[in-house]
Amino acid sequence: MKALVIFENRLPDLEKVKKYFTDIFYISLTNKSNAHIVPHADIKTSDEGVSFITENVDIFNSDAIIFSNEVLPKEIASKIAFKFGLGVIAHVANFSSDNSSIKGVVHSWQNLGLIIEPIRKPGIFIMNALANSLNDSYIQPQIKPFKSDQLVELISKTEKTTTQEIKSRIVIGIGLGVSKELLSKIFELSELIKAPVVCTRPVADLGYIDRKFVVGDTGISIYPELYIALGISGASQHMSGVFAKKIIAVNVDRNAPIFSKAHVRINQKVEDVLPKVVEWAKNS
Amino acid sequence: MKIVVLVKIVPKQIEFDRLEKRIVRSKEAIINPNDLIALGNAIRLKRKLGAEIFTLTMAPNSYSSLLYSLYDYGVDRPILLSDKAFANSDVYATSNVFVGFLKMFVPDFSFIFTGAFSSDGLTGQLAGEIAEGLGVPFLSNVLKIEKSGNDFRCLREKESVIEEFSVKGRAVISFSINSDLVALPSLYEVYRNDKRELEIYTNSTINLPEDKIGTKGSKTIVKDIFEIAQEKALDLITEEGHSVITKILEEMKE
């Protein structure tokens, strides 16, 4: 089956994509990335993206159009979906197929999964973006034009300061499974091992940590070597922002979804584990 | 200036019925929290520029009382689109309903504002589809919108940058959850001496064809709902977990 993969700076999980699609055509929205087609200048708005894709690619000559879940690709996905009357499936964690139909497997609230099928091809699937780049050296990018947006003009661009702070080898994450009383111990550990602290959206909503440290769909993404997830259930809304080489999860709930993603699965109360780690850090 | 804010009614609780294999939505419902961020930004423009604020909701009639409360936030015209024909609409079919209504009843809108996503749907795709249906630009993840000369300036938050755009003309804007403005009821609005009514429209007024709405108008089908199995429950560490962590941290030091 054939897929178009459309991304800005990060690609979706190609390991999963390649299991279902043998013919993959990569489309980058920036002039700098490696892909089969790249624009003559960086795409800035969704209308520019729609122009670039639809004028340079026959989208109906594919079984699926896979967008990374970065801000701009998602905007373009929704516009193309309506323009051509195509079904769009967001938060796709994986695919499934029977005969020649491809479906999206979505990890939804709590521990629920949904299998959703577009009624006709191509379906539009929005998948988590990972920090990988296209290493296929045989791809010779073709530079293609697009219509510049006359109604929405980019005036300026500023680097976000929080992304500077979370470029750390180790990051500690806090979820609702961590009581307020433990916060000082967590910040103590953070200081000792030089690991910034991030959190899930509900923890920020409680006011425990500033919203700018929320990781996930509604926050930032992190790319540490090690992520220590304390009392985090592992809902897709948070995990979609975690791209760690190794994840240690500490959770008292043995059915917590995070255990299916973690490399080290500690089924204990955070308050039983944390003080001893802090003690070690003080002495080491 | 007319601003239409899309407001969704969402269940307060969602649970999974393992026997029936279906999602059970509680009868108790609330206004989608993210839509209050969109509404907050609309009210701000109303106060600064004198905009007229509409809200537009697609829901069963039983949620009317929730929508009356929108007057307390400063809304001028809350509107409910309610018809059995709209039931089971996916994002595409829902977009058709909103686009059909807006083209007919508020063709002179300046902006459509929406929240980032609904707490029960999570897709965040509706705003872009409506923008395409109306033939206007779409900006998502907006932190702020301000008038600047003849145009409007929007700050859009992306993964690692914040971009400032000049928007010349109409647009659909969906607001980031990090936008600082949330609509709150105001005493002034609560006691405002206006005739309060909820405008309710059915499909007999909007007259959308059957193949554009509801199940027949949807472009996706949910084939299955399941609980995600824990494949590796057997390798859970249930004691001395701190030693495993400290060993890994020690190795990272080297």
Side-chain angles (χ1 to χ4, degrees):
Chain A
M1 284 202 272
K2 179 174 178 175
L4 305 180
V5 171
I6 301 169
F7 65 102
E8 187 176 15
N9 294 301
R10 299 198 166 95
L11 286 150
D13 189 340
L14 292 184
E15 208 177 292
K16 288 181 180 148
V17 173
K18 286 177 180 175
K19 265 192 198 156
Y20 292 89
F21 301 95
T22 48
D23 185 4
I24 303 172
F25 191 81
Y26 298 96
I27 301 168
S28 166
L29 301 176
T30 72
N31 186 249
K32 299 169 258 324
S33 300
N34 189 21
H36 288 101
I37 67 165
V38 301
H40 69 272
D42 290 353
I43 303 286
K44 301 173 292 302
T45 69
S46 46
D47 282 331
E48 286 182 355
V50 172
S51 155
F52 173 61
I53 293 164
T54 58
E55 288 163 24
N56 294 299
V57 179
D58 177 7
I59 64 165
F60 288 97
N61 186 24
S62 62
D63 298 284
I65 310 174
I66 301 168
F67 287 86
S68 70
N69 76 339
E70 298 162 287
V71 170
L72 184 57
K74 276 199 298 191
E75 286 183 8
I76 298 167
S78 59
K79 281 213 147 208
I80 286 181
F82 192 91
K83 188 178 180 80
F84 296 103
L86 301 174
V88 62
I89 301 158
H91 300 291
V92 171
N94 209 338
F95 297 96
S96 78
S97 79
D98 51 57
N99 301 323
S100 64
S101 77
I102 193 89
K103 304 173 192 49
V105 180
V106 175
H107 288 179
S108 189
W109 334 264
Q110 299 169 357
N111 218 13
L112 284 184
L114 301 169
I115 296 182
I116 306 176
E117 182 177 8
I119 64 165
R120 68 167 179 129
K121 290 180 187 179
I124 293 178
F125 302 85
I126 301 174
M127 274 189 106
N128 280 355
L130 300 183
N132 52 6
S133 57
L134 203 51
N135 289 321
D136 292 333
S137 53
Y138 63 84
I139 290 177
Q140 296 295 319
Q142 291 181 63
I143 298 175
K144 296 284 186 182
F146 61 88
K147 284 196 200 71
S148 201
D149 200 322
Q150 302 301 309
L151 297 174
V152 180
E153 186 192 344
L154 179 65
I155 305 294
S156 69
K157 209 186 245 201
T158 319
E159 190 83 18
K160 278 163 72 170
T161 52
T162 44
T163 48
Q164 305 294 326
E165 294 164 27
I166 317 293
K167 285 179 183 167
S168 173
R169 290 178 73 210
I170 307 171
V171 174
I172 300 171
I174 302 179
L176 282 179
V178 169
S179 65
K180 201 174 175 186
E181 291 69 38
L182 277 180
L183 287 180
S184 57
K185 271 269 177 257
I186 290 172
F187 285 112
E188 194 182 351
L189 179 65
S190 160
E191 193 65 31
L192 289 165
I193 64 172
K194 302 283 181 275
V197 178
V198 298
C199 66
T200 61
R201 169 62 55 183
V203 166
D205 288 346
L206 285 171
Y208 291 0
I209 296 186
D210 194 291
R211 276 187 306 184
K212 67 181 181 180
F213 294 109
V214 169
V215 165
D217 272 354
T218 62
I220 60 173
S221 295
I222 53 170
Y223 305 86
E225 283 180 45
L226 176 67
Y227 183 52
I228 305 174
L230 303 173
I232 289 177
S233 69
S236 59
Q237 294 89 325
H238 172 69
M239 297 308 290
S240 64
V242 177
F243 304 99
K245 289 208 172 102
K246 186 178 255 178
I247 300 173
I248 299 175
V250 181
N251 200 303
V252 70
D253 176 8
R254 62 182 293 112
N255 292 315
I258 197 161
F259 285 140
S260 65
K261 296 182 176 73
H263 303 87
V264 177
R265 303 166 198 94
I266 301 172
N267 180 212
Q268 289 181 255
K269 290 183 192 171
V270 174
E271 54 263 41
D272 290 343
V273 171
L274 181 67
K276 293 174 186 172
V277 178
V278 173
E279 214 45 52
W280 167 86
K282 278 183 190 166
N283 297 326
S284 73
Chain B
M1 180 184 181
K2 289 179 180 171
I3 301 176
V4 180
V5 182
L6 302 189
V7 168
K8 191 175 182 188
I9 307 296
V10 295
K12 207 163 179 194
Q13 242 176 316
I14 299 173
E15 276 169 13
F16 179 56
D17 183 333
R18 287 179 180 83
L19 282 175
E20 298 285 322
K21 281 194 86 181
R22 64 186 183 93
I23 291 161
V24 179
R25 293 177 161 85
S26 66
K27 284 208 170 81
E28 206 187 343
I30 55 172
I31 289 172
N32 181 41
N34 287 343
D35 297 340
L36 291 176
I37 295 174
L39 186 57
N41 280 276
I43 299 294
R44 182 168 171 276
L45 287 183
K46 175 181 176 175
R47 287 180 185 147
K48 279 195 160 187
L49 308 171
E52 187 182 6
I53 309 295
F54 296 67
T55 58
L56 193 56
T57 303
M58 189 175 97
N61 224 330
S62 50
Y63 295 120
S64 300
S65 57
L66 258 178
L67 298 173
Y68 275 109
S69 71
L70 289 168
Y71 276 107
D72 298 340
Y73 293 81
V75 171
D76 299 296
R77 287 177 65 181
I79 296 170
L80 172 62
L81 307 180
S82 187
D83 197 305
K84 277 189 186 146
F86 301 151
N88 300 315
S89 292
D90 75 348
V91 171
Y92 179 80
T94 304
S95 306
N96 279 330
V97 175
F98 284 124
V99 168
F101 177 82
L102 287 163
K103 280 182 172 175
M104 199 180 276
F105 290 92
V106 199
D108 54 344
F109 67 87
S110 300
F111 290 105
I112 311 292
F113 284 0
T114 80
F117 54 86
S118 67
S119 59
D120 65 341
L122 302 173
T123 67
Q125 291 291 294
L126 183 67
E129 296 215 23
I130 289 173
E132 183 63 23
L134 293 170
V136 301
F138 169 48
L139 277 176
S140 70
N141 244 38
V142 168
L143 293 168
K144 201 175 180 181
I145 180 168
E146 293 272 16
K147 189 138 175 44
S148 173
N150 289 331
D151 302 338
F152 281 82
R153 291 285 170 100
C154 288
L155 289 181
R156 179 175 75 183
E157 183 181 27
K158 283 167 78 178
E159 287 74 21
S160 58
V161 294
I162 293 178
E163 296 169 323
E164 186 181 5
F165 286 93
S166 167
V167 179
K168 306 169 189 1
R170 314 186 312 157
V172 173
I173 308 282
S174 98
F175 286 88
S176 166
I177 196 155
N178 294 322
S179 172
D180 280 336
L181 285 168
V182 180
L184 292 169
S186 125
L187 213 53
Y188 168 78
E189 300 294 350
V190 168
Y191 289 113
R192 188 168 48 142
N193 196 14
D194 280 331
K195 187 176 104 181
R196 293 187 164 202
E197 65 176 284
L198 176 66
E199 295 171 51
I200 302 177
Y201 295 86
T202 64
N203 197 39
S204 59
T205 326
I206 309 167
N207 214 17
L208 292 161
E210 217 177 58
D211 64 347
K212 292 283 185 198
I213 57 178
T215 312
K216 288 186 182 167
S218 296
K219 300 297 179 185
T220 53
I221 310 172
V222 177
K223 300 294 272 186
D224 195 15
I225 302 173
F226 59 96
E227 275 189 293
I228 297 163
Q230 298 308 323
E231 298 156 4
K232 304 186 184 185
L234 294 174
D235 359 354
L236 295 180
I237 296 163
T238 53
E239 48 189 25
E240 305 290 314
H242 67 279
S243 322
V244 177
I245 297 176
T246 56
K247 184 169 180 240
I248 293 170
L249 289 173
E250 192 68 57
E251 282 164 5
M252 285 186 77
K253 270 204 264 175
E254 286 153 18

Tab-separated table of all heavy atoms in Angstrom, chain A residues 154-184:
chain	number	residue	atom	x	y	z
A	154	LEU	N	3.422	36.151	7.751
A	154	LEU	CA	4.295	35.969	8.910
A	154	LEU	C	5.099	37.243	9.132
A	154	LEU	O	5.798	37.709	8.234
A	154	LEU	CB	5.227	34.779	8.678
A	154	LEU	CG	6.218	34.473	9.817
A	154	LEU	CD1	5.489	34.048	11.089
A	154	LEU	CD2	7.208	33.390	9.402
A	155	ILE	N	4.985	37.802	10.352
A	155	ILE	CA	5.687	39.052	10.668
A	155	ILE	C	6.991	38.766	11.411
A	155	ILE	O	8.024	39.361	11.135
A	155	ILE	CB	4.796	39.973	11.550
A	155	ILE	CG1	3.449	40.238	10.889
A	155	ILE	CG2	5.509	41.270	11.912
A	155	ILE	CD1	3.528	41.038	9.606
A	156	SER	N	6.921	37.845	12.391
A	156	SER	CA	8.144	37.558	13.165
A	156	SER	C	8.052	36.176	13.785
A	156	SER	O	6.978	35.579	13.875
A	156	SER	CB	8.319	38.598	14.275
A	156	SER	OG	7.311	38.433	15.259
A	157	LYS	N	9.222	35.700	14.222
A	157	LYS	CA	9.318	34.371	14.822
A	157	LYS	C	10.265	34.477	16.006
A	157	LYS	O	11.360	35.033	15.878
A	157	LYS	CB	9.964	33.453	13.786
A	157	LYS	CG	9.579	32.008	13.845
A	157	LYS	CD	10.399	31.212	12.859
A	157	LYS	CE	9.566	30.628	11.783
A	157	LYS	NZ	10.156	29.486	11.089
A	158	THR	N	9.851	33.952	17.173
A	158	THR	CA	10.714	34.026	18.361
A	158	THR	C	10.875	32.636	18.945
A	158	THR	O	9.893	31.904	19.078
A	158	THR	CB	10.050	34.911	19.451
A	158	THR	OG1	9.456	36.034	18.836
A	158	THR	CG2	11.048	35.355	20.497
A	159	GLU	N	12.099	32.293	19.316
A	159	GLU	CA	12.370	30.999	19.941
A	159	GLU	C	11.701	30.956	21.318
A	159	GLU	O	11.782	31.909	22.075
A	159	GLU	CB	13.891	30.862	20.087
A	159	GLU	CG	14.376	29.509	20.493
A	159	GLU	CD	14.509	28.522	19.332
A	159	GLU	OE1	14.554	28.942	18.162
A	159	GLU	OE2	14.551	27.313	19.606
A	160	LYS	N	11.064	29.845	21.664
A	160	LYS	CA	10.435	29.717	22.986
A	160	LYS	C	11.508	29.428	24.020
A	160	LYS	O	12.323	28.541	23.819
A	160	LYS	CB	9.438	28.556	22.971
A	160	LYS	CG	8.085	28.933	22.398
A	160	LYS	CD	7.276	27.729	22.013
A	160	LYS	CE	6.748	26.954	23.197
A	160	LYS	NZ	5.773	25.939	22.781
A	161	THR	N	11.481	30.108	25.145
A	161	THR	CA	12.555	29.929	26.129
A	161	THR	C	12.488	28.579	26.820
A	161	THR	O	13.494	28.027	27.191
A	161	THR	CB	12.530	31.029	27.199
A	161	THR	OG1	11.202	31.088	27.718
A	161	THR	CG2	12.895	32.360	26.605
A	162	THR	N	11.311	27.997	27.002
A	162	THR	CA	11.256	26.732	27.749
A	162	THR	C	11.977	25.614	27.024
A	162	THR	O	12.510	24.713	27.649
A	162	THR	CB	9.824	26.250	27.999
A	162	THR	OG1	9.095	26.397	26.806
A	162	THR	CG2	9.179	27.034	29.108
A	163	THR	N	12.038	25.669	25.707
A	163	THR	CA	12.727	24.578	25.016
A	163	THR	C	14.214	24.598	25.336
A	163	THR	O	14.884	23.583	25.268
A	163	THR	CB	12.538	24.642	23.502
A	163	THR	OG1	12.805	25.960	23.069
A	163	THR	CG2	11.126	24.269	23.127
A	164	GLN	N	14.723	25.775	25.719
A	164	GLN	CA	16.125	25.833	26.117
A	164	GLN	C	16.322	25.095	27.440
A	164	GLN	O	17.335	24.479	27.680
A	164	GLN	CB	16.553	27.299	26.318
A	164	GLN	CG	16.304	28.213	25.135
A	164	GLN	CD	17.147	27.848	23.933
A	164	GLN	OE1	18.255	27.404	24.082
A	164	GLN	NE2	16.607	28.012	22.744
A	165	GLU	N	15.311	25.170	28.308
A	165	GLU	CA	15.487	24.597	29.638
A	165	GLU	C	15.372	23.086	29.658
A	165	GLU	O	15.961	22.439	30.503
A	165	GLU	CB	14.422	25.170	30.576
A	165	GLU	CG	14.590	26.659	30.817
A	165	GLU	CD	13.348	27.286	31.397
A	165	GLU	OE1	12.604	26.573	32.063
A	165	GLU	OE2	13.133	28.482	31.179
A	166	ILE	N	14.617	22.530	28.754
A	166	ILE	CA	14.384	21.104	28.827
A	166	ILE	C	15.315	20.327	27.900
A	166	ILE	O	14.982	19.298	27.387
A	166	ILE	CB	12.900	20.752	28.556
A	166	ILE	CG1	11.966	21.704	29.282
A	166	ILE	CG2	12.573	19.325	28.963
A	166	ILE	CD1	11.996	21.587	30.787
A	167	LYS	N	16.496	20.838	27.655
A	167	LYS	CA	17.470	20.087	26.869
A	167	LYS	C	18.409	19.428	27.863
A	167	LYS	O	19.566	19.791	27.996
A	167	LYS	CB	18.233	21.033	25.924
A	167	LYS	CG	17.394	21.455	24.738
A	167	LYS	CD	18.114	22.410	23.821
A	167	LYS	CE	17.177	22.841	22.696
A	167	LYS	NZ	17.667	23.968	21.939
A	168	SER	N	17.879	18.478	28.593
A	168	SER	CA	18.650	17.853	29.661
A	168	SER	C	18.672	16.349	29.451
A	168	SER	O	17.737	15.791	28.888
A	168	SER	CB	17.981	18.196	30.987
A	168	SER	OG	18.579	17.490	32.025
A	169	ARG	N	19.735	15.686	29.907
A	169	ARG	CA	19.854	14.241	29.725
A	169	ARG	C	18.778	13.495	30.510
A	169	ARG	O	18.306	12.449	30.099
A	169	ARG	CB	21.224	13.751	30.195
A	169	ARG	CG	22.383	14.189	29.306
A	169	ARG	CD	23.685	13.695	29.878
A	169	ARG	NE	23.823	12.261	29.690
A	169	ARG	CZ	24.498	11.450	30.521
A	169	ARG	NH1	25.054	11.928	31.609
A	169	ARG	NH2	24.594	10.161	30.267
A	170	ILE	N	18.462	14.046	31.694
A	170	ILE	CA	17.478	13.371	32.559
A	170	ILE	C	16.348	14.361	32.837
A	170	ILE	O	16.608	15.532	33.118
A	170	ILE	CB	18.107	12.938	33.898
A	170	ILE	CG1	19.372	12.114	33.647
A	170	ILE	CG2	17.105	12.141	34.736
A	170	ILE	CD1	20.166	11.831	34.914
A	171	VAL	N	15.131	13.891	32.755
A	171	VAL	CA	13.976	14.725	33.080
A	171	VAL	C	13.078	13.933	34.025
A	171	VAL	O	12.914	12.715	33.857
A	171	VAL	CB	13.183	15.129	31.812
A	171	VAL	CG1	11.908	15.870	32.172
A	171	VAL	CG2	14.039	15.981	30.886
A	172	ILE	N	12.527	14.644	35.009
A	172	ILE	CA	11.597	14.007	35.951
A	172	ILE	C	10.194	14.504	35.625
A	172	ILE	O	9.995	15.712	35.452
A	172	ILE	CB	11.937	14.390	37.404
A	172	ILE	CG1	13.362	13.938	37.756
A	172	ILE	CG2	10.935	13.771	38.379
A	172	ILE	CD1	13.852	14.470	39.092
A	173	GLY	N	9.237	13.585	35.547
A	173	GLY	CA	7.862	13.962	35.260
A	173	GLY	C	6.967	13.644	36.451
A	173	GLY	O	7.157	12.636	37.124
A	174	ILE	N	6.011	14.527	36.679
A	174	ILE	CA	5.093	14.334	37.814
A	174	ILE	C	3.667	14.204	37.288
A	174	ILE	O	3.214	15.002	36.460
A	174	ILE	CB	5.107	15.557	38.744
A	174	ILE	CG1	6.499	15.843	39.262
A	174	ILE	CG2	4.190	15.345	39.927
A	174	ILE	CD1	6.521	17.061	40.154
A	175	GLY	N	2.956	13.201	37.806
A	175	GLY	CA	1.550	13.035	37.454
A	175	GLY	C	0.675	13.145	38.696
A	175	GLY	O	1.171	13.435	39.793
A	176	LEU	N	-0.595	12.877	38.520
A	176	LEU	CA	-1.543	13.006	39.628
A	176	LEU	C	-1.307	11.980	40.734
A	176	LEU	O	-1.838	12.116	41.824
A	176	LEU	CB	-2.989	12.879	39.128
A	176	LEU	CG	-3.564	14.100	38.443
A	176	LEU	CD1	-4.992	13.833	37.983
A	176	LEU	CD2	-3.537	15.319	39.355
A	177	GLY	N	-0.508	10.974	40.456
A	177	GLY	CA	-0.185	9.968	41.461
A	177	GLY	C	0.818	10.456	42.485
A	177	GLY	O	1.180	9.728	43.410
A	178	VAL	N	1.263	11.712	42.339
A	178	VAL	CA	2.219	12.281	43.288
A	178	VAL	C	1.474	13.270	44.176
A	178	VAL	O	0.812	14.180	43.685
A	178	VAL	CB	3.352	13.012	42.530
A	178	VAL	CG1	4.199	13.843	43.485
A	178	VAL	CG2	4.215	12.009	41.791
A	179	SER	N	1.570	13.088	45.479
A	179	SER	CA	0.853	13.995	46.388
A	179	SER	C	1.644	15.292	46.540
A	179	SER	O	2.863	15.327	46.331
A	179	SER	CB	0.684	13.343	47.758
A	179	SER	OG	1.963	13.157	48.340
A	180	LYS	N	0.937	16.342	46.933
A	180	LYS	CA	1.557	17.660	47.091
A	180	LYS	C	2.723	17.602	48.090
A	180	LYS	O	3.720	18.301	47.930
A	180	LYS	CB	0.485	18.618	47.603
A	180	LYS	CG	0.782	20.069	47.359
A	180	LYS	CD	-0.405	20.919	47.761
A	180	LYS	CE	-0.024	22.384	47.615
A	180	LYS	NZ	-1.058	23.281	48.111
A	181	GLU	N	2.571	16.731	49.081
A	181	GLU	CA	3.601	16.638	50.133
A	181	GLU	C	4.942	16.156	49.596
A	181	GLU	O	5.974	16.386	50.198
A	181	GLU	CB	3.153	15.679	51.248
A	181	GLU	CG	1.977	16.173	52.104
A	181	GLU	CD	0.662	16.236	51.368
A	181	GLU	OE1	0.389	15.332	50.536
A	181	GLU	OE2	-0.105	17.189	51.586
A	182	LEU	N	4.911	15.458	48.470
A	182	LEU	CA	6.160	14.907	47.918
A	182	LEU	C	6.907	15.896	47.033
A	182	LEU	O	8.054	15.653	46.645
A	182	LEU	CB	5.842	13.665	47.077
A	182	LEU	CG	5.675	12.355	47.822
A	182	LEU	CD1	5.358	11.252	46.821
A	182	LEU	CD2	6.914	11.981	48.609
A	183	LEU	N	6.270	17.006	46.704
A	183	LEU	CA	6.855	17.926	45.725
A	183	LEU	C	8.229	18.426	46.149
A	183	LEU	O	9.153	18.503	45.327
A	183	LEU	CB	5.929	19.119	45.485
A	183	LEU	CG	4.664	18.838	44.679
A	183	LEU	CD1	3.851	20.110	44.514
A	183	LEU	CD2	4.997	18.267	43.315
A	184	SER	N	8.384	18.739	47.429
A	184	SER	CA	9.683	19.297	47.863
A	184	SER	C	10.788	18.256	47.694
A	184	SER	O	11.912	18.587	47.312
A	184	SER	CB	9.613	19.773	49.308
A	184	SER	OG	9.220	18.711	50.132
